[in-house]
Amino acid sequence: MVRLTERDRRILAECQASRFLTTSQIQRMFFPGVSSDGVRKRLRKLTEDRYLAPFSSRAFSETLYSLGRASAIFFRDALADALPPRSLPDHIEHLVGINDMRALVGAASAGTDPVRLRYFFAHWELGQFHWTFPVIPDAVFCLERAQPYTFALEYHRGTERGKALPEKLKQYRVLQNAFPLHALLLITEGSTCDRLVRFLRPHTCAVPLYVAALEVLTAQGLDGEVFHSPKGSGPASLWTLLEEDEV
């Protein structure tokens, strides 16, 4: 039986919040500077003792992990009969993209400027706060850099059709009145980023809107010059665009 470390317990808690995490996401959040082989070795031990449950998908080359049966003792009793999940959920690519951003902002303090993550909640976690606003972001999170900055996240895989995305952006006007945001981050896949920026130029959003490709953002981080504004600014870092918009 593996002896759980404090890091192991934090991994289990993150899997509980995230539902499913890939090997690389766990590595980014909990094993900085550790080789992939070292990460897989530890995850294999947690899997063997059923603290984690592995899943595979044709959409991904790496393993996904969720909580295993043995993890139920660390959480509410209602989880006992639900662990491990029977299968991957529908739209697993969308879930993994949101958790890619969770892992990225969680590691934001590795940049040149001191940044602290206050919270990150994906859309499936917002129910605990009795979220009643007409628009449900894919995630909301808060980073502290001299002052708190609150962001909404939309992960766009190009599956929305026609006016669906502009219509959703319009709804942020209501959200902004009740839950003020510093910016809305629209994260997309690299091949669609430039096209999406051009598409959004005629449309308005009540919140400063910045677009970035997930692959580039993952490689360069929030300090990288990876964000574009449909108003014409960019590429620039997130902090530069916030200063330009005087947020």
Side-chain angles (χ1 to χ4, degrees), residues 173-231:
R173 183 178 302 279
V174 178
L175 180 60
Q176 185 69 348
N177 292 333
F179 189 84
L181 298 167
H182 289 87
L184 168 60
L185 307 186
L186 183 56
I187 308 303
T188 186
E189 297 177 351
S191 60
T192 62
C193 184
D194 291 342
R195 184 168 67 250
L196 185 60
V197 171
R198 292 193 299 270
F199 171 72
L200 291 174
R201 278 177 185 160
H203 301 282
T204 59
C205 183
V207 185
L209 175 63
Y210 309 137
V211 184
L214 178 59
E215 297 87 344
V216 181
L217 182 57
T218 300
Q220 299 189 33
L222 296 177
D223 290 335
E225 296 183 350
V226 300
F227 287 94
H228 301 259
S229 169
K231 295 187 299 184

Side-chain angles (χ1 to χ4, degrees), residues 21-217:
L21 289 172
T22 66
T23 304
S24 60
Q25 288 167 351
I26 294 173
Q27 182 177 14
R28 177 182 286 269
M29 287 190 281
F30 300 105
F31 294 90
V34 178
S35 69
S36 297
D37 286 342
V39 176
R40 285 192 290 267
K41 181 178 179 180
R42 189 59 187 176
L43 296 180
R44 187 161 54 248
K45 289 182 179 295
L46 294 175
T47 299
E48 289 171 353
D49 284 351
R50 299 186 179 182
Y51 288 108
L52 292 177
F55 292 82
S56 59
S57 168
R58 288 179 294 180
F60 302 99
S61 60
E62 57 182 337
T63 303
L64 295 99
Y65 293 91
S66 187
L67 289 181
R69 180 79 175 182
S71 292
I73 62 174
F74 299 110
F75 304 101
R76 62 185 187 275
D77 292 341
L79 276 175
D81 295 331
L83 295 177
R86 293 183 178 180
S87 61
L88 292 172
D90 294 336
H91 310 298
I92 183 62
E93 296 92 340
H94 194 83
L95 182 148
V96 169
I98 294 171
N99 285 334
D100 275 334
M101 285 298 298
R102 184 195 298 265
L104 190 149
V105 299
S109 59
T112 56
D113 293 316
V115 177
R116 185 174 70 90
L117 176 63
R118 281 194 169 187
Y119 61 77
F120 185 106
F121 297 110
H123 63 84
W124 57 83
E125 300 174 89
L126 295 178
Q128 64 184 302
F129 305 110
H130 307 288
W131 189 275
T132 58
F133 304 118
V135 59
I136 302 177
D138 282 335
V140 293
F141 64 95
C142 179
L143 291 172
E144 186 170 340
R145 182 178 181 263
Q147 70 176 65
Y149 290 88
T150 305
F151 302 95
L153 168 70
E154 294 288 346
Y155 181 55
H156 180 76
R157 298 186 58 246
T159 55
E160 294 89 346
R161 297 182 179 180
K163 298 181 179 180
L165 179 58
E167 288 299 322
K168 185 172 186 178
L169 295 182
K170 289 180 181 179
Q171 295 181 47
Y172 273 91
R173 183 178 302 279
V174 178
L175 180 60
Q176 185 69 348
N177 292 333
F179 189 84
L181 298 167
H182 289 87
L184 168 60
L185 307 186
L186 183 56
I187 308 303
T188 186
E189 297 177 351
S191 60
T192 62
C193 184
D194 291 342
R195 184 168 67 250
L196 185 60
V197 171
R198 292 193 299 270
F199 171 72
L200 291 174
R201 278 177 185 160
H203 301 282
T204 59
C205 183
V207 185
L209 175 63
Y210 309 137
V211 184
L214 178 59
E215 297 87 344
V216 181
L217 182 57

